[in-house]
Amino acid sequence: MILEFTVENQVLRLISRNNAVADSSGYLKAHFTFTSDWDNTVKLAQFKRTDSTLYNGTATKIFFNIAIDENGYAIIPWEVLVGDGKFNVNVYGQISGDTVTTITTNSVDVVISESGITDGELPTTPTDQAWEDC
């Protein structure tokens, strides 16, 4: 699934209506569309999560700088998707030359819905009939 963002100058906006669901990994991507002032920049997305219920009940802030590929995509790290709540996204880029130019954006909150997966329990074996109907 893809969360769509636009980056107009320094303003980041979430434009897709898809919900992020907790506890996924390697699945959820972010796609960014940039205005021309971002041309020739090396672009990174920063994904952040602050939550007191994660990691043994201690308030913890984690963040990851993920390269945005030439097509505008970045994989959202699974660590920011642990449990329901929200994570934050911002983007920054740099152009190197005689001087270094850095462009930053605002931060956007993304809501994470609770996963339906049951953690810590063994699933029961389905009846033969359940498999025959598939």
Side-chain angles (χ1 to χ4, degrees):
M1 186 177 76
I2 299 171
L3 296 179
E4 292 285 344
F5 294 87
T6 60
V7 182
E8 296 178 31
N9 307 111
Q10 291 188 283
V11 178
L12 176 67
R13 289 186 182 92
L14 175 63
I15 60 171
S16 62
R17 297 187 186 267
N18 297 331
N19 288 336
V21 177
D23 307 321
S24 298
S25 67
Y27 172 69
L28 190 59
K29 294 179 183 178
H31 180 249
F32 301 92
T33 303
F34 293 88
T35 52
S36 62
D37 51 328
W38 286 80
D39 290 352
N40 303 314
T41 60
V42 175
K43 301 170 191 76
L44 293 133
Q46 190 170 78
F47 299 95
K48 296 176 269 191
R49 179 87 185 252
T50 302
D51 196 331
S52 59
T53 62
L54 299 177
Y55 311 105
N56 302 323
T58 304
T60 304
K61 183 175 190 174
I62 57 172
F63 69 93
F64 301 89
N65 294 324
I66 306 295
I68 299 171
D69 72 18
E70 64 277 356
N71 297 312
Y73 289 94
I75 295 283
I76 298 174
W78 67 267
E79 293 91 342
V80 301
L81 297 169
V82 175
D84 60 339
K86 66 180 178 177
F87 68 91
N88 310 98
V89 181
N90 63 280
V91 175
Y92 64 98
Q94 288 190 328
I95 303 170
S96 295
D98 293 337
T99 61
V100 175
T101 301
T102 302
I103 307 172
T104 61
T105 69
N106 57 297
S107 181
V108 171
D109 291 339
V110 177
V111 174
I112 307 167
S113 299
E114 183 178 1
S115 168
I117 195 167
T118 302
D119 192 28
E121 295 181 14
L122 294 175
T124 56
T125 303
T127 61
D128 290 338
Q129 179 64 37
W131 288 110
E132 289 173 10
D133 289 342
C134 292

